[in-house]
Amino acid sequence: MKVGFIGLGVMGEPMARHLRAAGHDLAVWARRPASAAALVAEGVPLCATPAELAARSEVVITIVTASADVDALAFGPDGLAAGFAPGAIHVDMSTIAPAMARSLAERHAARGIGFVDAPVSGGGQGARDATLAIMAGAEADVLERVRPLLAAMGKRIVHIGPPGAGQVAKACNQMIMVAAIQACAEAMRLADAHGVDVAAVRTALSGGSAGSRVLEVMGAKMVERDFAAGVEARLHHKDFALLMDEAARLGAPLPVAAQVWQQLNALMGAGWGRDDTSSLLRVLEAASSRGAG
């Protein structure tokens, strides 16, 4: 297929490379052309505007930061909508508000364009290994048309429901995952406060019912005090802002998520937003220091 790609970050670039390796005719657009330099050097066309990219593509995939970014790419000046031919499809793999995904789907449908919201879980490693979990919100026939593209980037593709449903599933994923990171941080902090070997505690926990991918990866980062970003904490903070806003709108009580949200706020306030979310451990340590003072 003729595929356009926007969002060549830590996850986007390897995802785009998998599409090309699968034999698809890839082109890109980048707000910062330098981010596309490696692909362009390998012969991938760089379009001047999103509209130009859409005009030469059957499907355009976007993976950017926020709702407003996707909206601007699709319907801003020289946006995708200005270039798409009827029958084209926009696949957004960003993490955005469900309401924005539904709005994009409605506006695209009015122009004869399909839309899939397909947020992912798996991080940079999952993107590099093409093992992402993909949560799709779309009409069934539209999803089937782009399934071969998704299969080139991910291992598990689940059709959650109509447009917007994928983003609901991603919000649920983020709640569970970041709450687990917070739980790991609290366990490591408690072990350290007792003066016991936190590495040994993590090893013991990993072999029992507390064992998890989060404990394996984030627990190791906490033990090693490696706070370099796998996924920047500011992105999880952004995701929690979305889901807490939705919870307030729906009247859905999320007491654990609300506490994690406050810890993420403290993390951001400490200036660690571009570090890893394992920095939630440092938030607890800072609170302990203030208490001791």
Side-chain angles (χ1 to χ4, degrees), residues 135-148:
M135 298 156 252
E139 300 303 326
D141 60 328
V142 176
L143 177 60
E144 289 311 306
R145 287 179 56 198
V146 301
R147 188 177 288 274

Side-chain angles (χ1 to χ4, degrees), residues 22 43 56 68 101 115-116 128 153 161 164 182 194 262 291:
R56 57 89 61 203
F115 180 77
V116 180
R128 290 187 291 275
M153 299 179 285
Q182 176 66 22
H194 274 288
Q262 291 306 314

Side-chain angles (χ1 to χ4, degrees), residues 91-190:
V91 178
D92 181 51
M93 306 187 79
S94 317
T95 298
I96 62 174
M100 175 57 73
R102 296 182 192 111
S103 173
L104 290 165
E106 289 169 4
R107 285 178 283 162
H108 277 313
R111 298 166 177 256
I113 308 303
F115 180 77
V116 180
D117 70 288
V120 300
S121 179
Q125 192 62 53
R128 290 187 291 275
D129 295 341
T131 57
L132 294 169
I134 301 173
M135 298 156 252
E139 300 303 326
D141 60 328
V142 176
L143 177 60
E144 289 311 306
R145 287 179 56 198
V146 301
R147 188 177 288 274
L149 302 178
L150 301 181
M153 299 179 285
K155 188 174 183 179
R156 175 176 294 183
I157 304 161
V158 179
H159 185 194
I160 306 296
Q167 296 299 340
V168 174
K170 181 60 184 287
C172 295
N173 180 86
Q174 301 305 76
M175 278 196 295
I176 294 171
M177 181 185 65
V178 183
I181 298 172
Q182 176 66 22
C184 286
E186 293 184 21
M188 296 300 102
R189 181 71 196 99
L190 179 63

Side-chain angles (χ1 to χ4, degrees), residues 69-80:
D69 299 321
V70 185
D71 193 21
L73 283 173
F75 292 99
D78 291 321
L80 298 173

